[in-house]
Amino acid sequence: MKYFKTILSLAFFASWTIPAFTQIGPAQIKTLDSTLTILHEQAMFNGTVLVADHGKVLYKKAFGKADIATREPLKTTSSFNLASVSKQFIAMMVMMLEEKGKLHYDDPVKQYLPAFPYETITIRHLLTHTSGLPEYFDLVLAHRNTLDTLTNAKLLQLLAEFKPKPNFAPGERWEYCNTGYVLLASVIEKAANMPVESFFKQQITDPLGLRNTYIYTLEMKQSPPGRVFGFRRENGREVSSDLMRFDGVVGDGNIYSSVDDLLKWDQALYTEKLVSAKSMKPAFTPVKLNNTQTHNYGFGWFVDSTGQVVSHTGSWVGFLNEIVRDTKKQQTVIVLSSGSDAVARNCVKAILAGKKPGIPHLELITNIQLIDGTGSPARVCSVRLRDNKIWETGDLTPLPGESVTDGGGKVLAPGFIDSHSHHFGGLMDSPGGLALVSQGVTSIVIGQDGNSYPIDTLEQMMKETPVAINVATYTGHTTVRETVMGENDVLRIARPEEVVQMQALMKAEMDKGSLGLATGLEYERAFYSNRSEVVELAKTTAASGGRYISHIRSEDVGLDEAVDEIIQIGREAKLPVQISHIKIAKRDRWGYAPTLLAQLENARATGIDITADCYPYDFWRSTLRVLFPNRDYTSPASAEFAVNQLFDPEKSPLLHYAPHPEYSDKTVLEVAALRKETPAQTLMYLIAAAAEFDAKNPNYKGNTEGIMGKSMAESDLESFLAWPHTNICSDGSWGGHPRGYGAFTRVLGRYVRERKIMSLESAVFKMTGLAAEHLGIGDRGVIAPGYSADLVLFDPATVQDNATVQNPDAISTGIEKVWVNGKLVFENRKTTGELPGVFIKRK
């Protein structure tokens, strides 16, 4: 089905933007020839091109082969399947019959095809794509088997039998429709009382002397001589892509012609050899809809806003064609190609409009072990980039003029995707993204823990300050709460009307490309929300195709209830849910990871798509206040519980502490010794002093306090990292916790090479393809044709994190090169200055 959908999208390709050509001179012709030569040498063009002025040929040339099997060279007389360019010939035959009085445009189609089940659709509706008929592709796929070649008669039979519902009432709007032109061919046969191919030959090809123009379908016994066979380039090989089982029909395609013949056709349209000027006029007149508005399509031609330039593209299987006619200047451009690559069409039009042709930049990365992000075993091959996309993988050889990068036998993988990042603020100050690219990260996801930027603001920031890294975002629950409830009134349950307002904000952000809803339920400003509020927002998210990710309500005392909550959200809202930085942070629950994972697997077995991300450290970074799950910061019992169960005061340093800067970098135990207190007493003091500082310094920028909390067992961490439904994240930023600079390389060094808890391929999958899947990002995370060219080249024998608590911004070793959207952003342990990052929207 995917293959047919791809072909269908090609069939719909139309020339919505029609260029106005400048005066075509020798310089443009020279540029045109050199450009086409380069495109052909670099395997991006196989076809013929003709440019004419008042019928005089200014340029005509063939590049490549007519048949990949025989290697027969192309000629300008070679006949290509015109695909949808065929429609102008079908329209002409209808106009000829109308001029002869054999039919009328406003006759019901049913008058000529009695089995046609729609009473009010006319011939004019079919000609102008205003019939409302659905495309026939899905109908055929549903009701005909793969051995059954479709014909015009069979299509009519399918319509009569199944009567698919029209997309709209006839004339109500314009919608490109191949079905209509197949039906027109049948109408022509009925009105002319002969096969359409006979009428075509009698009325058009013979009178105009078109020797290489004809109708050919799979129902015909013999392939005409000189016919071009379509193909596509696939990972460095030429693969047949010619007629398939839909191609027993004629009307929407399957008329063949050459550039030489099409110039004769073009010139005939300036005369009355076929029909009168009056009869010709509707072909170049935009169709008028029922509401009196017009659309830029006549009878088989797109028409520009001036009425001066008319054109049509044709795209089907391995063929990509276009004819453009400037009727005022009497200039003609014809591009016929058989290699499934549209770049030549665009370059030709750009050159003749006085613009740069935009030849794609190619780069071949050779001598690599490819780990492609799917979990498949590594393989030795090459990867070819084309501008910002991956074009080919496999056994590839350099093309003329192509940039070549020797991978030195290292691993090439998709760029790592950090599904939980707090790097964005620092990225605005350091756009090269050293903390990220030095560990192989090419995309980050922000909005985590409930706090986010509005998407309009985020896009404007990235426009004003280009960055090297791609950025996607969730919409933060806390941010939405504060917007509706007020920043100083969120420590309560939201009222029903406030939830409705939050839903409206959520919907607006989803429409702008948010990945979904992110909550930080353990933090105070979201902690007071109830399950109902979160479920309702999650339902709004689900309605837009989004996802839910959560720093759950507790990772220690209330872990069981918090896990139950996220499972309930997934069940009731019917959307994928993900546990952020999954952990067990209560000492007497260490070793509980297998039980927790079994619970998550049970939820998955009931249809709940629950996953997790995880960073590779057994200590976290947060505020001191999270150590009091009941928010009773003055309770000695709760403080004692915290130092005994929730963190190790001996191994947990304060990252910064504004009320007493001298306490920064000291552990809670060391501060307690200075104060001659117990760790529990010191913990209460530190929280109280920070609150007092906040009250006295309302304009203080940044967090007042922060702690690196040691509270996890490495055995649990390894279980979480190895779980098949866990992807890797950093939860990092530009300082403090070493995860900001080292999370991804730590996995590759410590947990793959040293601890061997997973294979290298599995680890890369968790950083790339699986992360993209969990986020709903469809065109990144895998090295395959058509995916964005985000890549990392690394040495699996030496890759290692170097960031520590004492030196948290030490960059990793073993990361050789990093590309973002096809641009090299990191090599030789330095950023390159390229800033190709884009904002990634949910698709």
Side-chain angles (χ1 to χ4, degrees):
M1 179 68 78
K2 181 179 180 181
Y3 173 72
F4 289 116
K5 293 294 185 184
T6 302
I7 290 176
L8 178 56
S9 69
L10 288 175
F12 282 166
F13 188 93
S15 186
W16 302 107
T17 304
I18 304 171
F21 297 131
T22 59
Q23 191 65 34
I24 302 171
Q28 286 172 299
I29 295 301
K30 183 178 179 181
T31 301
L32 178 63
D33 186 60
S34 62
T35 298
L36 292 172
T37 299
I38 291 171
L39 292 176
H40 174 62
E41 290 176 345
Q42 294 190 341
M44 289 184 278
F45 180 58
N46 187 90
T48 57
V49 174
L50 183 147
V51 179
D53 189 320
H54 288 77
K56 178 183 177 182
V57 174
L58 302 180
Y59 181 82
K60 183 174 69 169
K61 198 168 183 178
F63 298 82
K65 59 195 78 69
D67 186 344
I68 60 173
T70 65
R71 316 305 289 181
E72 177 187 348
L74 276 174
K75 304 173 184 176
T76 59
T77 55
S78 299
S79 301
F80 290 73
N81 188 330
L82 297 182
S84 288
V85 174
S86 303
K87 291 179 172 67
Q88 57 199 252
F89 289 102
I90 297 295
M92 174 58 75
M93 287 187 277
V94 173
M95 290 188 289
M96 297 172 93
L97 289 166
E98 196 274 345
E99 190 172 73
K100 297 174 187 297
K102 300 290 186 180
L103 57 76
H104 302 286
Y105 297 140
D106 295 316
D107 288 342
V109 174
K110 193 174 181 65
Q111 179 177 327
Y112 302 88
L113 306 175
F116 186 66
Y118 308 98
E119 301 283 345
T120 58
I121 293 176
T122 67
I123 291 172
R124 188 187 301 274
H125 292 137
L126 301 185
L127 282 166
T128 57
H129 299 294
T130 58
S131 68
L133 287 172
E135 285 291 354
Y136 64 83
F137 303 93
D138 285 335
L139 187 67
V140 176
L141 290 172
H143 302 291
R144 288 287 183 266
N145 64 53
T146 57
L147 298 177
D148 189 358
T149 299
L150 183 69
T151 64
N152 290 54
K154 288 178 182 178
L155 175 58
L156 182 59
Q157 182 183 354
L158 282 171
L159 292 172
E161 181 176 356
F162 296 101
K163 302 177 180 62
K165 182 180 178 181
N167 296 330
F168 51 87
E172 184 179 282
R173 65 176 191 259
W174 187 92
E175 185 176 274
Y176 196 84
C177 180
N178 290 284
T179 308
Y181 271 78
V182 176
L183 291 167
L184 283 172
S186 297
V187 169
I188 291 167
E189 291 192 333
K190 186 72 173 180
N193 196 29
M194 68 176 71
V196 65
E197 58 268 26
S198 299
F199 189 73
F200 183 53
K201 186 174 187 299
Q202 178 191 97
Q203 298 295 321
I204 296 179
T205 64
D206 283 353
L208 297 183
L210 307 182
R211 297 181 180 181
N212 303 299
T213 303
Y214 48 80
I215 291 172
Y216 175 72
T217 74
L218 286 179
E219 288 294 289
M220 298 176 179
K221 294 181 179 180
Q222 187 173 358
S223 177
R227 177 169 87 88
V228 177
F229 290 80
F231 71 94
R232 67 182 183 277
R233 186 174 170 91
E234 187 175 282
N235 290 329
R237 298 181 300 115
E238 293 169 341
V239 180
S240 176
S241 181
D242 201 61
L243 304 187
M244 36 86 79
R245 66 185 177 100
F246 289 176
D247 288 308
V249 300
V250 63
D252 60 336
N254 290 329
I255 293 179
Y256 285 71
S257 192
S258 66
V259 290
D260 285 342
D261 276 5
L262 286 175
L263 179 60
K264 294 178 183 178
W265 159 254
D266 159 72
Q267 291 300 296
L269 298 180
Y270 291 109
T271 71
E272 295 190 339
K273 289 181 179 179
L274 298 175
V275 293
S276 68
K278 179 181 178 182
S279 293
M280 192 71 211
K281 187 176 180 180
F284 304 142
T285 302
V287 58
K288 184 176 289 188
L289 305 177
N290 294 345
N291 62 6
T292 74
Q293 292 182 348
T294 60
H295 189 85
N296 64 328
Y297 199 90
F299 289 180
W301 290 92
F302 285 92
V303 186
D304 81 338
S305 58
T306 68
Q308 174 179 329
V309 182
V310 297
S311 71
H312 213 292
T313 57
S315 307
W316 182 249
V317 288
F319 295 95
L320 290 163
N321 313 308
E322 185 162 18
I323 179 170
V324 182
R325 304 176 67 240
D326 187 322
T327 58
K328 184 176 181 180
K329 296 179 180 178
Q330 292 197 30
Q331 294 173 340
T332 310
V333 178
I334 303 164
V335 181
L336 302 179
S337 67
S338 57
S340 294
D341 200 319
V343 66
R345 290 196 311 201
N346 299 328
C347 285
V348 169
K349 289 189 292 184
I351 292 166
L352 299 181
K355 301 176 182 178
K356 290 184 178 180
I359 301 173
H361 173 73
L362 302 185
E363 180 176 1
L364 184 66
I365 307 173
T366 65
N367 189 20
I368 57 165
Q369 298 179 63
L370 178 63
I371 298 181
D372 64 11
T374 67
S376 300
R379 63 188 190 272
V380 176
C381 69
S382 299
V383 173
R384 175 168 282 126
L385 312 186
R386 176 167 157 171
D387 287 341
N388 62 344
K389 298 288 185 181
I390 295 159
W391 186 21
E392 299 176 328
T393 65
D395 184 12
L396 309 173
T397 56
L399 297 168
E402 179 176 38
S403 299
V404 179
T405 296
D406 186 340
K410 307 296 194 302
V411 168
L412 185 73
F416 304 148
I417 300 172
D418 190 348
S419 63
H420 186 138
S421 168
H422 297 283
H423 290 90
F424 185 75
L427 200 58
M428 290 291 98
D429 298 323
S430 300
L434 181 64
L436 295 157
V437 295
S438 62
Q439 57 176 314
V441 173
T442 57
S443 299
I444 61 172
V445 180
I446 62 175
Q448 304 287 0
D449 298 330
N451 299 294
S452 64
Y453 295 95
I455 286 179
D456 288 344
T457 300
L458 183 60
E459 290 193 280
Q460 185 62 31
M461 292 171 73
M462 292 184 68
K463 181 178 179 180
E464 294 175 356
T465 306
V467 297
I469 301 295
N470 303 313
V471 180
T473 188
Y474 282 94
T475 297
H477 170 228
T478 301
T479 299
V480 172
R481 290 191 103 230
E482 290 177 340
T483 301
V484 171
M485 300 169 67
E487 292 185 12
N488 299 318
D489 193 26
V490 291
L491 305 184
R492 61 175 175 83
I493 294 173
R495 292 184 283 271
E497 62 272 20
E498 291 172 329
V499 174
V500 171
Q501 293 176 54
M502 290 184 218
Q503 288 178 293
L505 286 175
M506 191 70 218
K507 173 64 166 56
E509 289 296 283
M510 292 301 297
D511 289 345
K512 293 174 183 177
S514 169
L515 298 180
L517 174 65
T519 60
L521 298 176
E522 193 170 24
Y523 299 110
E524 278 185 309
R525 305 184 79 77
F527 182 82
Y528 291 92
S529 64
N530 58 21
R531 288 194 185 189
S532 175
E533 174 186 323
V534 180
V535 167
E536 291 307 308
L537 290 175
K539 287 180 178 178
T540 299
T541 304
S544 295
R547 295 161 181 263
Y548 176 78
I549 191 168
S550 181
H551 178 133
I552 57 178
R553 208 172 289 268
S554 175
E555 296 169 331
D556 40 61
V557 177
L559 177 62
D560 292 337
E561 185 176 350
V563 171
D564 178 75
E565 179 179 30
I566 193 170
I567 290 173
Q568 180 187 347
I569 291 167
R571 179 184 299 113
E572 292 193 16
K574 295 180 174 59
L575 82 173
V577 295
Q578 182 157 26
I579 299 174
S580 285
H581 45 58
I582 188 170
K583 64 174 69 78
I584 297 172
K586 187 168 180 284
R587 186 184 297 270
D588 65 9
R589 299 293 295 277
W590 287 359
Y592 177 72
T595 302
L596 174 55
L597 293 176
Q599 181 182 1
L600 300 183
E601 285 288 2
N602 182 64
R604 291 182 61 83
T606 65
I608 298 168
D609 184 3
I610 186 166
T611 59
D613 60 25
C614 185
Y615 56 77
Y617 299 86
D618 59 5
F619 52 95
W620 44 257
R621 177 188 179 185
S622 191
T623 70
L624 291 161
R625 297 168 78 90
V626 300
L627 293 166
F628 287 76
N630 295 322
R631 305 306 186 255
D632 50 350
Y633 307 113
T634 60
S635 167
S638 292
E640 285 291 342
F641 181 80
V643 299
N644 290 319
Q645 285 290 331
L646 304 186
F647 81 114
D648 184 345
E650 184 179 2
K651 297 180 180 179
S652 302
L654 296 173
L655 296 175
H656 57 274
Y657 192 70
H660 292 283
E662 67 274 18
Y663 291 171
S664 298
D665 298 325
K666 291 182 170 57
T667 68
V668 173
L669 186 63
E670 288 171 335
V671 175
L674 289 174
R675 295 181 55 80
K676 297 181 171 46
E677 296 174 332
T678 68
Q681 290 171 328
T682 294
L683 182 60
M684 288 189 294
Y685 168 78
L686 292 171
I687 290 176
E692 182 180 354
F693 181 89
D694 283 336
K696 291 180 178 179
N697 299 276
N699 296 321
Y700 180 80
K701 294 183 178 181
N703 295 321
T704 304
E705 48 88 1
I707 184 175
M708 198 91 73
K710 172 67 173 72
S711 67
M712 293 170 271
E714 190 169 34
S715 61
D716 286 337
L717 172 62
E718 290 183 348
S719 293
F720 291 139
L721 287 171
W723 188 45
H725 305 293
T726 299
N727 68 265
I728 308 303
C729 72
S730 76
D731 192 19
S733 60
W734 288 76
H737 199 298
R739 64 195 177 192
Y741 273 77
F744 288 82
T745 45
R746 181 174 176 81
V747 170
L748 297 173
R750 178 169 177 78
Y751 291 106
V752 174
R753 188 175 60 244
E754 297 173 9
R755 301 283 295 174
K756 294 180 171 55
I757 70 168
M758 67 183 85
S759 69
L760 182 59
E761 290 87 349
S762 292
V764 169
F765 174 56
K766 287 172 173 287
M767 299 174 178
T768 59
L770 186 64
E773 178 185 329
H774 287 174
L775 296 165
I777 298 172
D779 61 349
R780 297 178 196 270
V782 173
I783 297 179
Y787 279 73
S788 294
D790 297 341
L791 306 168
V792 56
L793 182 72
F794 68 90
D795 186 345
T798 63
V799 66
Q800 181 65 54
D801 64 308
N802 295 316
T804 63
V805 173
Q806 294 74 28
N807 188 14
D809 56 356
I811 67 172
S812 302
T813 51
I815 300 295
E816 304 285 336
K817 297 177 187 287
V818 177
W819 293 259
V820 174
N821 296 312
K823 297 289 187 181
L824 189 66
V825 298
F826 178 82
E827 67 173 335
N828 298 324
R829 298 174 61 78
K830 296 184 296 185
T831 57
T832 66
E834 293 281 0
L835 303 173
V838 298
F839 178 62
I840 301 173
K841 295 186 178 183
R842 173 182 49 81
K843 294 183 179 179

